[in-house]
């Protein structure tokens, strides 16, 4: 049994607790906490770490990532830095020599809402890659930019109808524009060649390294059997370096049920969380389902991917088989639909002790807020998106954007907040997420006005949502989320005191050490 002493620190085991001076971890668990005047037990301590007066808090969790996508992002063209169409096209031109004729060109991360000099168009990709099919996924993963050869390769012709829950956007004369939305993306994604497994494992290790550097020791990933198998192989090759909870796609629900699997099944490293459903699209692609049309788009109210009966049938099936549900809902119409469905399954959740959740919950008008609490739901939200969403929410939702990201309103009625990033849609960086939850600034710029200041949290509350809230949303509060004795010894050492520092310094804070299972796994 390994015993380690971490001392000379300001250790906050949970939100608003008085700080302790030292901590003993044994066999991966917190066993003793002490203050400066407390006598350290006479134990055979194998390692002692002087933390030099730094602030220590529980390690961060991330309640919503896509780990396989995030790993693949290291292998694809990165368009996330393109602030204009011209910049995106230059990045693509510079990458051209990497591809042989006929090879798929794959990239991700573009955000057309930032561009003032044009929009993604099929013909622009045709000029750069006349001999290659091209698939470029947007930052929000709800639209893709493709070229003519991609349409040809997947058998989509100009007379092909839009699939349910998706669209092939067209020019006024009827030709494809090159943007495809939501379920229209599936034909293209299914045609992409599978990456080499060994390269993918290496890429996943890069993602894990990024997570540990940012103080994250546990993630909830919204992926299926392929990613689950990859994580099993990852642990065999690289060791246990991350705690992973899986929310499988609804297409794989029947296989889980046949196998007798349920929420909570697994071990401290790889565990089943439940089933992930989609109810609508996204704000960035203007496919989030709205009660009223988007501003200046009178015919667009977004996309609902299920009607009430369809979604209810699926949620009932999941929850009756002890599988918690995590349902993507961004627009107010989608949030309303999901709440109506979850109202009808509340007794099932109570019967099986399930924690179900709404993912994103970006636009929640006041009449819907109390229903989160009434039906016993967690709100899994991503404050880091505020940096990108302020301008487009105001542009496409107008006055309704005052109901966006209602952190304080939900917290004040005791709805658990579980914060994450949606990586690779946004960086898995909780310190930036905390900044966004507290200051609500466009592009992280303090000079910008505070967006809907009445919904801002304080730093303690934001930290709680990245620690205790993440644990609660996966029904894991008994062993993680705080540093109370008996819980996992997962914690981080910060370079500065985020609870008392000036706002302008917060984005310069970094994680000096990450401790997982009582061992240091990242240090600077």
């Amino acid at each position: 049994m390994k015993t380690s002493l971490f001392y000379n620190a300001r250790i906050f085991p949970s939100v608003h607790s008085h700080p302790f001076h030292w901590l003993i971890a044994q066999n991966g668990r917190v066993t003793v906490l002490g203050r400066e005047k407390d006598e350290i037990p006479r134990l055979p301590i194998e390692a002692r770490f002087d933390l030099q007066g730094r602030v220590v808090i529980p390690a961060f969790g991330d309640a919503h990532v896509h780990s396989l996508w995030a790993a693949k992002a290291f292998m694809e063209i990165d368009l996330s830095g393109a602030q204009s169409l011209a910049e995106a096209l230059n990045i693509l031109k510079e990458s051209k020599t990497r591809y042989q004729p006929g090879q798929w060109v794959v990239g991700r991360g573009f955000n057309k809402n930032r561009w003032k000099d044009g929009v993604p168009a099929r013909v622009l990709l045709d000029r750069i890659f006349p001999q290659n099919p091209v698939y470029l996924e947007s930052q929000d993963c709800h639209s893709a930019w493709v070229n003519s050869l991609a349409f040809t390769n997947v058998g989509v012709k100009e007379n092909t109808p839009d699939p349910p829950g998706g669209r092939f956007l067209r020019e006024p004369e009827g030709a494809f524009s090159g943007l495809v939305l939501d379920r229209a993306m599936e034909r293209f994604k299914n045609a992409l060649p599978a990456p080499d497994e060994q390269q993918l494992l290496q890429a996943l290790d890069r993602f894990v390294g990024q997570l540990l550097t940012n103080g994250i020791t546990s993630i909830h990933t919204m992926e299926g059997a392929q990613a689950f198998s990859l994580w099993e192989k990852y642990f065999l090759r690289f060791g246990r370096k991350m705690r992973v909870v899986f929310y499988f796609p609804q297409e794989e629900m029947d296989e889980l049920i046949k196998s007798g699997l349920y929420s909570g099944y697994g071990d401290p490293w790889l565990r089943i969380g439940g089933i992930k459903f989609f109810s609508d699209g996204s704000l960035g692609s203007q496919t989030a389902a709205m009660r009223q049309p988007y501003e200046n788009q009178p015919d667009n109210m977004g996309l609902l991917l299920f009607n009430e009966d369809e979604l209810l049938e699926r949620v009932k099936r999941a929850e009756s088989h002890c599988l918690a549900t995590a349902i993507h809902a961004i627009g107010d119409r989608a949030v309303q639909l999901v709440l109506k469905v979850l109202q009808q399954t509340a007794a099932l959740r109570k019967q099986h002790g399930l924690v179900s959740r709404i993912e994103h919950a970006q636009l929640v008008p006041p009449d819907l807020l109390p229903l989160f609490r009434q039906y016993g739901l967690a709100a899994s939200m991503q404050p880091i998106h505020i940096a990108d969403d302020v301008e487009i929410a105001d542009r496409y939702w107008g006055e309704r954007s005052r109901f966006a990201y209602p952190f304080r309103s939900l917290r004040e009625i005791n709805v658990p907040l579980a914060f994450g990033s949606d990586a690779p849609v946004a960086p898995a960086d909780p310190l930036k997420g905390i900044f966004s939850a507290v200051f609500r600034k466009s592009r992280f710029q303090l000079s910008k006005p505070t967006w809907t200041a009445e919904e801002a949290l304080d730093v303690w509350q934001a930290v709680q949502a990245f620690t205790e809230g993440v644990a609660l949303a996966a029904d894991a509060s008994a062993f993680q989320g705080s540093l109370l004795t008996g819980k996992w010894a997962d914690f981080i050492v910060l370079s500065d005191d985020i609870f008392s520092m000036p706002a302008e310094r917060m984005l310069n804070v970094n994680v000096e050490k990450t401790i997982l299972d009582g061992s240091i796994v990242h240090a600077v």
Side-chain angles (χ1 to χ4, degrees):
M1 178 185 294
K2 181 179 178 181
T3 303
S4 300
L5 170 67
F6 299 86
Y7 67 98
N8 187 19
R10 296 177 62 221
I11 302 170
F12 294 91
S14 60
V15 172
H16 295 308
S17 64
H18 293 294
F20 288 78
H21 184 72
W22 51 265
L23 175 156
I24 292 177
Q26 287 184 298
N27 200 28
R29 301 265 180 170
V30 177
T31 55
V32 190
L33 287 160
R35 296 194 165 90
E36 192 166 7
K37 294 182 179 179
D38 294 336
E39 184 178 352
I40 297 173
R42 294 180 180 179
L43 296 170
I45 295 172
E46 299 160 81
R48 297 171 182 263
F49 301 97
D50 182 350
L51 301 183
Q52 302 180 337
R54 295 288 197 259
V55 166
V56 171
I57 61 174
F60 296 128
D62 191 311
H64 190 119
V65 304
H66 305 272
S67 60
L68 186 56
W69 288 2
K72 287 179 178 178
F74 287 105
M75 306 165 65
E76 299 169 351
I77 299 172
D78 182 7
L79 295 171
S80 61
Q83 300 299 315
S84 66
L85 174 61
E87 286 185 22
L89 295 175
N90 284 335
I91 292 170
L92 293 169
K93 288 173 185 175
E94 290 171 2
S95 69
K96 184 175 180 179
T97 56
R98 291 164 45 184
Y99 298 94
Q100 298 297 319
Q103 184 180 359
W104 274 92
V105 175
V106 183
R108 69 161 315 279
F110 74 90
N111 185 345
K112 68 180 178 62
N113 300 295
R114 294 178 185 167
W115 301 348
K116 310 296 183 187
D117 59 338
V119 297
R122 171 181 52 83
V123 294
L124 298 175
L125 296 181
D126 290 347
R127 291 170 192 161
I128 301 172
F129 295 104
Q131 296 180 292
N132 299 86
V134 180
Y135 178 85
L136 308 172
E137 200 158 287
S138 65
Q139 182 185 38
D140 64 10
C141 303
H142 286 268
S143 63
W145 180 13
V146 300
N147 69 346
S148 298
L149 199 51
F151 280 108
T152 300
N153 275 21
V154 302
V156 174
K157 303 177 181 179
E158 288 194 358
N159 61 353
T160 300
D162 291 339
R167 290 183 194 146
F168 305 113
L169 294 190
R170 300 171 185 269
E171 302 292 353
E173 70 277 7
F176 291 125
S177 72
L179 276 179
V180 297
L181 308 181
D182 285 297
R183 288 189 173 157
M185 300 160 61
E186 292 175 2
R187 289 179 72 159
F188 299 88
K189 292 169 79 168
N190 292 337
L192 300 179
D196 176 82
E197 186 176 89
Q198 294 307 309
Q199 291 179 325
L200 196 51
L201 284 169
Q202 293 283 355
L204 184 59
D205 193 49
R206 289 181 64 185
F207 179 54
V208 169
Q210 184 184 81
L211 294 171
L212 295 174
T213 297
N214 291 336
I216 297 168
T217 61
S218 65
I219 58 172
H220 303 170
T221 191
M222 308 290 153
E223 291 166 303
Q226 180 189 6
F228 193 91
S229 174
L230 189 75
W231 273 103
E232 291 179 313
K233 294 172 183 176
Y234 176 85
F235 288 140
L236 289 172
R237 178 169 175 181
F238 292 97
R240 293 171 171 177
K241 296 161 62 176
M242 187 61 50
R243 304 189 192 276
V244 187
V245 180
F246 261 80
Y247 287 84
F248 287 77
Q250 65 100 13
E251 293 84 2
E252 299 182 17
M253 176 172 62
D254 287 344
E255 286 302 313
L256 260 68
I257 292 171
K258 286 179 186 177
S259 301
L261 300 177
Y262 52 87
S263 292
Y265 180 88
D267 60 30
W269 302 99
L270 195 57
R271 196 160 53 89
I272 292 174
I275 303 295
K276 164 76 180 298
F277 296 91
F278 280 91
S279 71
D280 69 342
S282 73
L283 165 62
S285 297
Q286 293 89 66
T287 53
M290 305 298 296
R291 288 169 161 178
Q292 299 296 326
Y294 285 82
E295 298 292 307
N296 301 313
Q297 298 181 32
D299 297 325
N300 183 18
M301 294 176 65
L303 295 172
L304 275 180
L305 305 184
F306 295 108
N307 63 38
E308 181 184 336
D309 290 341
E310 291 170 335
L311 185 58
L312 177 60
E313 177 189 356
R314 289 163 171 79
V315 170
K316 275 185 176 179
R317 180 159 172 73
E319 295 183 350
S320 64
H321 286 87
C322 299
L323 289 164
T325 53
I327 309 179
H328 167 119
I330 288 179
D332 52 5
R333 183 161 60 119
V335 172
Q336 183 175 25
L337 170 71
V338 171
L339 287 168
K340 193 172 182 182
V341 166
L342 292 175
Q343 174 191 18
Q344 298 172 71
T345 61
L348 277 174
R349 290 193 297 283
K350 186 175 181 180
Q351 176 186 348
H352 296 298
L354 300 174
V355 179
S356 287
R357 35 199 271 184
I358 296 184
E359 303 300 312
H360 311 303
Q362 283 185 13
L363 190 64
V364 188
D367 62 301
L368 301 180
L369 286 167
L371 303 181
F372 279 77
R373 177 63 180 167
Q374 186 176 336
Y375 307 147
L377 308 172
S380 170
M381 306 174 79
Q382 299 78 42
I384 196 169
H385 289 339
I386 289 175
D388 288 320
D389 281 358
V390 170
E391 295 173 7
I392 58 173
D394 287 344
R395 183 190 314 164
Y396 295 119
W397 289 346
E399 286 296 314
R400 291 169 288 183
S401 66
R402 70 186 186 276
F403 305 132
Y405 296 95
F407 303 142
R408 183 171 290 275
S409 292
L410 287 166
R411 194 180 190 282
E412 285 180 347
I413 58 174
N414 297 315
V415 174
L417 300 178
F419 280 170
S421 65
D422 206 9
V425 175
D429 188 340
L431 288 170
K432 283 187 175 179
I434 291 166
F435 179 92
S436 286
V438 173
F439 298 108
R440 300 176 71 96
K441 302 288 186 179
S442 177
R443 312 286 176 87
F444 306 108
Q445 296 176 15
L446 281 170
S447 59
K448 298 280 189 180
T450 299
W451 190 53
T452 54
E454 64 274 13
E455 294 297 347
L457 300 179
D458 65 32
V459 176
W460 289 101
Q461 293 165 343
V463 168
Q464 185 177 37
F466 273 111
T467 54
E468 296 174 33
V470 175
L472 189 150
D475 197 20
S477 297
F479 38 85
Q480 71 178 132
S482 70
L483 295 175
L484 302 179
T485 55
K487 294 195 179 185
W488 294 333
D490 300 348
F491 53 95
I492 59 176
V493 182
L494 298 175
S495 64
D496 211 333
D497 184 353
I498 59 173
F499 302 115
S500 62
M501 68 190 311
E504 60 269 16
R505 286 171 44 199
M506 185 171 289
L507 288 176
N508 295 322
V509 176
N510 60 65
V511 177
E512 289 192 340
K513 290 181 176 63
T514 301
I515 292 86
L516 170 63
D517 213 39
S519 298
I520 296 174
V521 290
H522 157 74
V524 294

